């Protein structure tokens, strides 16, 4: 099982490091598969990634299963891989049943040096500036993986109104470098080519000594070449600030 996982990861790792990136976030599918590994295999995986000059920053909860149980499994995986963040699954309407239990888990994770994050997504409990602020106020310690493209899809101004004039800035520990268009053309674009004000967000975070993560997240159709184009757009934004 470990050999197969390493074989699948190797090509992705090479593609990422070729673009000057050495930190990975594992998505829900891979995170779910790795959570089934025993501690010895996870230790070997961590060592193998380190030998490739790569570390894991976050793992992502699969969307199925009882949320508190899934968060606990992901926290164990996070600790085994040396990661410091667990990303929640999309916060659907049934989330309310798990809220009290997850509030306790946030405290447990903080004691382990692990942060629990949610990502703003259209059609969920955290799809707009107002809903994000309300939800995060109910769960002290829950942090935001800020996806500006998703806010643009909702008709929000991710920098001018959501971040700069809102209360979400104190919750942001990760910025997805994703760009997109407003309602009616909810497409994803390369960073800097849409209406998600990605460059402005990156700039103000850097000016404020942001110690979180800028994460490139491939959206829509693509593959290796689409990822390379996204990386080039990201580095261009940094170079032209």
């Amino acid at each position: 099982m470990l050999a197969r996982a390493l074989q699948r990861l190797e090509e992705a790792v090479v593609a990422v490091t070729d673009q000057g990136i050495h930190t990975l976030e594992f998505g829900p599918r891979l995170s779910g598969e790795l959570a089934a590994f025993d501690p010895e295999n996870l230790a070997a995986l961590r060592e193998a990634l380190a030998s490739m000059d790569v570390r894991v920053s976050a793992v992502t909860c699969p969307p199925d299963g009882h949320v508190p149980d899934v968060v606990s499994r992901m926290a164990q995986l996070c600790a085994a891989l040396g990661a410091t963040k667990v990303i929640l699954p999309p916060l659907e309407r049934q989330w309310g049943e798990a809220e009290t239990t997850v509030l306790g888990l946030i405290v447990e994770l903080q004691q382990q040096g692990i942060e629990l994050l949610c990502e703003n997504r259209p059609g969920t409990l955290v799809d707009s500036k107002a809903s994000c602020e309300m939800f995060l106020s109910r769960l002290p310690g829950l942090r935001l993986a800020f996806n500006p493209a998703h806010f643009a899809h909702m008709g929000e101004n991710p920098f001018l109104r959501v971040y700069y004039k809102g209360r979400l800035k104190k919750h942001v520990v990760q910025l997805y470098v994703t760009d997109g268009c407003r309602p009616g053309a909810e497409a994803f674009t390369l960073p800097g080519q849409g209406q998600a004000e990605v460059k402005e967000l990156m700039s103000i975070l850097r000016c404020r000594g942001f110690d979180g993560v800028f994460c490139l997240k491939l959206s829509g159709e693509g593959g290796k070449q689409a990822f390379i184009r996204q990386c080039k757009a990201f580095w261009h934004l940094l170079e032209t600030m």
Side-chain angles (χ1 to χ4, degrees):
M1 183 183 293
L2 176 61
R4 290 199 302 271
L6 284 175
Q7 186 176 7
R8 289 171 54 196
L9 278 171
E10 186 173 3
E11 183 178 349
V13 166
V14 171
V16 167
T17 54
D18 279 352
Q19 301 304 314
I21 298 168
H22 295 270
T23 303
L24 301 178
E25 174 183 309
F26 286 165
R29 180 178 177 182
L30 180 58
S31 297
E33 292 176 358
L34 294 180
F37 281 28
D38 61 40
E40 290 184 0
N41 278 332
L42 288 175
L45 176 60
R46 180 176 178 177
E47 184 177 340
L49 289 172
S51 72
M52 293 184 275
D53 194 23
V54 166
R55 73 176 187 90
V56 181
S57 94
V59 300
T60 308
C61 295
D64 53 342
H66 185 50
V67 172
D69 294 339
V70 174
V71 170
S72 294
R73 291 205 318 273
M74 291 301 108
Q76 293 172 8
L77 175 63
C78 195
L81 296 177
T84 58
K85 296 175 176 60
V86 172
I87 314 292
L88 283 167
L91 302 178
E92 309 295 349
R93 301 304 170 184
Q94 67 269 25
W95 167 263
E97 301 172 3
E99 187 171 315
T100 302
T101 306
V102 172
L103 185 57
L105 284 172
I106 292 172
V107 176
E108 292 182 23
L109 266 59
Q110 287 176 330
Q111 293 172 348
Q112 302 172 47
I114 298 172
E115 294 178 304
L116 188 63
L117 281 62
C118 64
E119 177 189 355
N120 57 289
R121 289 172 176 262
T124 69
L125 292 174
V126 285
D127 59 0
S128 66
K129 171 191 171 186
S131 63
C132 279
E133 290 178 341
M134 181 176 66
F135 188 80
L136 289 166
S137 70
R138 298 205 309 264
L139 288 169
L142 182 64
R143 302 305 183 197
L144 181 64
F146 191 125
N147 190 320
H150 284 164
F151 272 131
H153 293 161
M154 293 294 296
E156 303 268 15
N157 294 100
F159 171 68
L160 288 176
R161 295 190 61 80
V162 175
Y163 183 87
Y164 190 72
K165 294 185 178 180
R167 300 194 301 272
L168 290 180
K169 59 176 68 71
K170 65 180 181 180
H171 301 290
V172 175
V173 295
Q174 178 158 304
L175 176 71
Y176 285 119
V177 184
T178 56
D179 208 340
C181 304
R182 297 197 181 286
E186 293 91 341
F188 291 97
T189 70
L190 290 175
Q193 296 183 16
Q195 297 167 309
E197 303 171 324
V198 174
K199 186 173 183 178
E200 292 85 351
L201 287 165
M202 290 170 58
S203 179
I204 196 170
L205 287 169
R206 293 181 76 205
C207 288
R208 295 188 175 188
F210 182 59
D211 61 356
V213 175
F214 287 169
C215 182
L216 294 175
K217 184 175 183 178
L218 192 60
S219 302
E221 298 296 327
K224 183 177 179 180
Q225 293 306 313
F227 174 70
I228 291 173
R229 290 193 296 271
Q230 188 179 39
C231 289
K232 288 181 177 178
F234 167 72
W235 291 121
H236 176 73
L237 289 182
L238 284 181
E239 292 167 359
T240 54
M241 281 184 185

